[in-house]
Amino acid sequence: MKRKRYSAEKKTEIVLEILREKKTLAELATKHDIHPVQLSKWKKEFLENAATVFGKETKKAEKMKKAHEKEKEELIKEIGQLTIEVNCQTKEQVC
């Protein structure tokens, strides 16, 4: 039997239902066919990481991503240049 996989969006939707407290954990577990212990784990993880949404970590991650993208572009250009140089040397041509 295959395990069900839930997207981050679906997990968030379910955790928000838990936090609204309109239904018990057991009712939500039955509704979504998920074990109550799993729902408790998702809720705990959600609450532990909620502060990062408004924190500096998100901004740091975005800056790091941009820096890595820039470095990647530079390396791709350098690889292209080196490829041209190697091709010219192997063909004994002047480039």
Side-chain angles (χ1 to χ4, degrees), residues 14-29:
I14 293 169
V15 170
L16 290 174
E17 274 188 82
I18 295 168
L19 295 173
R20 285 186 196 106
E21 297 182 345
K22 291 184 179 180
K23 293 184 180 182
T24 66
L25 192 63
E27 290 172 329
L28 291 171

Side-chain angles (χ1 to χ4, degrees), residues 1-6 11 32-34 42:
M1 185 173 171
K2 271 192 164 182
R3 297 173 77 178
K4 290 184 181 179
R5 300 239 179 224
Y6 295 90
K11 289 179 184 180
H32 295 288
D33 193 29
I34 303 170
W42 288 353

Side-chain angles (χ1 to χ4, degrees), residues 3 9-10 20 26 31 41 48-49 51 58 66 68 70 80-81 85 88-89 91 94:
R3 297 173 77 178
E9 291 82 12
K10 184 66 176 175
R20 285 186 196 106
K31 175 184 174 184
K41 288 179 183 179
E48 286 174 352
N49 294 303
T58 305
K66 286 180 182 179
H68 282 112
K70 184 178 179 180
Q81 182 62 38
E85 290 175 17
C88 287
Q89 289 175 358
K91 295 179 183 177
V94 176

Side-chain angles (χ1 to χ4, degrees), residues 31-93:
K31 175 184 174 184
H32 295 288
D33 193 29
I34 303 170
H35 198 280
V37 172
Q38 185 63 54
L39 292 181
S40 294
K41 288 179 183 179
W42 288 353
K43 177 183 173 185
K44 181 181 176 192
E45 184 179 354
F46 183 88
L47 293 174
E48 286 174 352
N49 294 303
T52 61
V53 173
F54 301 110
K56 294 179 182 178
E57 294 303 314
T58 305
K59 293 176 185 175
K60 282 183 184 178
E62 190 61 36
K63 285 182 182 179
M64 286 178 62
K65 182 179 176 183
K66 286 180 182 179
H68 282 112
E69 287 297 320
K70 184 178 179 180
E71 182 181 17
K72 180 181 169 184
E73 288 175 17
E74 290 171 1
L75 290 171
I76 289 172
K77 287 178 186 177
E78 188 173 343
I79 289 169
Q81 182 62 38
L82 291 171
T83 302
I84 291 170
E85 290 175 17
V86 167
N87 287 340
C88 287
Q89 289 175 358
T90 57
K91 295 179 183 177
E92 296 180 18
Q93 297 175 351

